Amino acid sequence: MDSLVENVSRSEGVTTNFSFTPNKFEDTSILSNSSTTSNGILDYVNMVSIPICLVTGVLGNMLTIILMNTNTFSHFASKYFLIGLAIADTTVLLTQPFKNMFVIRYLGFDLRALSTIGCKVYFCVHRAGKMMSSWFVVYMALERLAAVKFPLKVKIWFSKRNTLAGIGLMLFLITGFTAGFSYCTKIDQNQICNPDQYDRNDSSAVILYRQMLNTGVTLYFIGPLVILLIATPTIIISLIKYEHDKAKLSKFNAKNSLARPTAMLLSVMFAYIIFVTPIGVVRIIVNYHGVNLFAVKMTWFTTFRDVSHFLELINYSINFFLYVCTSRQFRRGLIYLLRANNFTNRRSDGSSTGSKSKTGL
């Protein structure tokens, strides 16, 4: 294990002397003002990537929410899932910068550590946003699976009432878990909001923490990934079969009613698998070995870890662009929205000009 762990590491903005034995963790935390070459490079990457993903992601998610509430998508079965996904992704994007070391160094303090309650709320919200984002993608996969396998029942199973009830249940369970997981989130002696403050000399505390950690990884990555790996190929195969049978029976092509929305939602599923799988694998590796995420010093792993974090950030900011690329209906709705807004602005300017001319101003 010594070959895997370096003497000084970072944990959510904390440098940690961290080692694991079968019986206990040993940890001594200090805030480091030094910066290694690799950390400096990562800081520069974060300084560029985080603002870009934040601006484009939040703007795209807000436009998605607005479009899903227009008449164009009034009968779109997955509109509530897309709205929920946009809100969850925006939550992650808005909370992500505060956990990065370069932000803490730039501010000179950890903004999350202004109060113990604020520290706990931060990690509760941040973790809940990640988990709910994953499960909204799962919900969309299940809805599309029902649409292609049981087209006569999908409107009953995924009615507005059932859909909102499912979202409410997910929100309750995930928020409850993340709130419970915050038991070990405290402000340490360096005034840093630390999510793993527990008694490492108490074997029961160590076991409880690792069980909670493994449950969190399952909710965030393992569970959703398994469902998507089963549902996605099934959807594609069923859709191909459906289109083939439809072409035999009639010249009418039902792509507008089934294939196009499915292609749009499949792009989100593929994006999740591509961009979240790397960081999920990283989490599984470090949890299995019982080491800190930032404690492994092997070059291949640190590179893989940093690239995985960047890909994860892309996952929360790319959906709007996937919708634009894969859905003609979404593009038309966006163009109509922008034109309507432009027309309103011109009309407002014209009315203002007319009022001034009448009053002689």
Side-chain angles (χ1 to χ4, degrees):
M1 185 61 64
D2 292 339
S3 63
L4 293 177
V5 182
E6 62 184 356
N7 204 31
V8 178
S9 63
R10 297 183 300 162
S11 174
E12 304 289 353
V14 180
T15 53
T16 306
N17 184 3
F18 189 101
S19 61
F20 175 76
T21 66
N23 296 322
K24 66 178 182 177
F25 285 99
E26 295 179 353
D27 175 87
T28 304
S29 299
I30 58 172
L31 180 63
S32 175
N33 294 322
S34 61
S35 176
T36 62
T37 302
S38 60
N39 291 343
I41 295 174
L42 180 59
D43 282 354
Y44 283 119
V45 172
N46 285 330
M47 289 175 65
V48 175
S49 62
I50 290 180
I52 292 176
C53 290
L54 180 63
V55 173
T56 58
V58 171
L59 180 60
N61 289 330
M62 292 301 101
L63 287 173
T64 299
I65 294 173
I66 294 172
L67 278 175
M68 289 299 114
N69 285 285
T70 61
N71 292 331
T72 305
F73 292 92
S74 60
H75 300 291
F76 191 54
S78 296
K79 63 176 290 185
Y80 297 106
F81 299 142
L82 291 177
I83 292 173
L85 179 62
I87 294 174
D89 288 351
T90 300
T91 300
V92 176
L93 289 171
L94 292 177
T95 55
Q96 181 72 20
F98 300 106
K99 64 182 291 186
N100 282 275
M101 270 301 295
F102 86 91
V103 174
I104 297 175
R105 285 197 295 267
Y106 178 80
L107 295 176
F109 65 97
D110 187 353
L111 193 62
R112 305 168 299 173
L114 294 179
S115 68
T116 301
I117 295 177
C119 177
K120 292 180 180 293
V121 169
Y122 169 83
F123 274 103
C124 179
V125 172
H126 185 68
R127 287 167 172 164
K130 285 189 172 185
M131 293 177 187
M132 285 190 284
S133 176
S134 299
W135 284 99
F136 275 121
V137 177
V138 170
Y139 270 149
M140 288 190 291
L142 295 178
E143 189 275 333
R144 283 295 90 187
L145 181 62
V148 297
K149 298 292 289 185
F150 309 99
L152 299 179
K153 296 182 179 181
V154 64
K155 290 186 178 181
I156 300 175
W157 293 347
F158 289 89
S159 64
K160 179 179 179 180
R161 184 182 64 180
N162 291 342
T163 296
L164 294 179
I167 292 174
L169 178 62
M170 177 191 67
L171 180 63
F172 174 77
L173 293 176
I174 290 179
T175 303
F177 172 78
T178 56
F181 199 5
S182 66
Y183 79 93
C184 58
T185 300
K186 302 175 184 178
I187 301 174
D188 64 20
Q189 67 271 22
N190 300 299
Q191 295 302 302
I192 298 295
C193 182
N194 198 321
D196 59 354
Q197 291 289 93
Y198 60 94
D199 187 2
R200 287 165 172 78
N201 295 316
D202 185 348
S203 59
S204 61
V206 172
I207 293 174
L208 175 61
Y209 176 78
R210 296 201 68 183
Q211 288 176 340
M212 295 291 287
L213 193 63
N214 290 333
T215 302
V217 174
T218 300
L219 288 174
Y220 166 61
F221 171 67
I222 298 177
L225 181 67
V226 170
I227 296 174
L228 289 177
L229 289 179
I230 296 174
T232 305
T234 305
I235 293 171
I236 295 174
I237 294 172
S238 299
L239 184 62
I240 294 174
K241 185 176 183 299
Y242 174 86
E243 292 298 321
H244 183 265
D245 294 342
K246 195 71 178 180
K248 283 185 177 180
L249 296 174
S250 172
K251 294 182 179 180
F252 172 74
N253 195 322
K255 286 187 177 181
N256 286 330
S257 61
L258 184 62
R260 287 176 182 171
T262 302
M264 173 183 171
L265 300 178
L266 278 174
S267 68
V268 179
M269 301 175 207
F270 281 122
Y272 176 88
I273 294 172
I274 293 171
F275 293 125
V276 177
T277 295
I279 191 62
V281 171
V282 169
R283 290 290 182 180
I284 291 173
I285 292 174
V286 296
N287 288 359
Y288 176 79
H289 288 287
V291 297
N292 184 277
L293 178 61
F294 293 95
V296 182
K297 66 180 181 180
M298 291 181 293
T299 303
W300 71 267
F301 184 86
T302 57
T303 302
F304 181 53
R305 177 199 65 202
D306 295 343
V307 171
S308 298
H309 277 124
F310 176 65
L311 293 177
E312 183 190 28
L313 191 62
I314 292 177
N315 176 68
Y316 300 114
S317 58
I318 199 175
N319 288 335
F320 171 78
F321 302 100
L322 295 177
Y323 304 152
V324 172
C325 293
T326 58
S327 173
R328 182 178 300 176
Q329 183 182 8
F330 192 89
R331 290 194 297 270
R332 287 176 177 174
L334 179 62
I335 293 172
Y336 177 81
L337 178 66
L338 296 177
R339 286 180 177 176
N341 184 58
N342 187 41
F343 175 77
T344 301
N345 291 336
R346 288 182 178 180
R347 187 173 181 178
S348 177
D349 292 342
S351 299
S352 176
T353 304
S355 298
K356 290 182 180 181
S357 64
K358 287 181 181 181
T359 57
L361 296 177

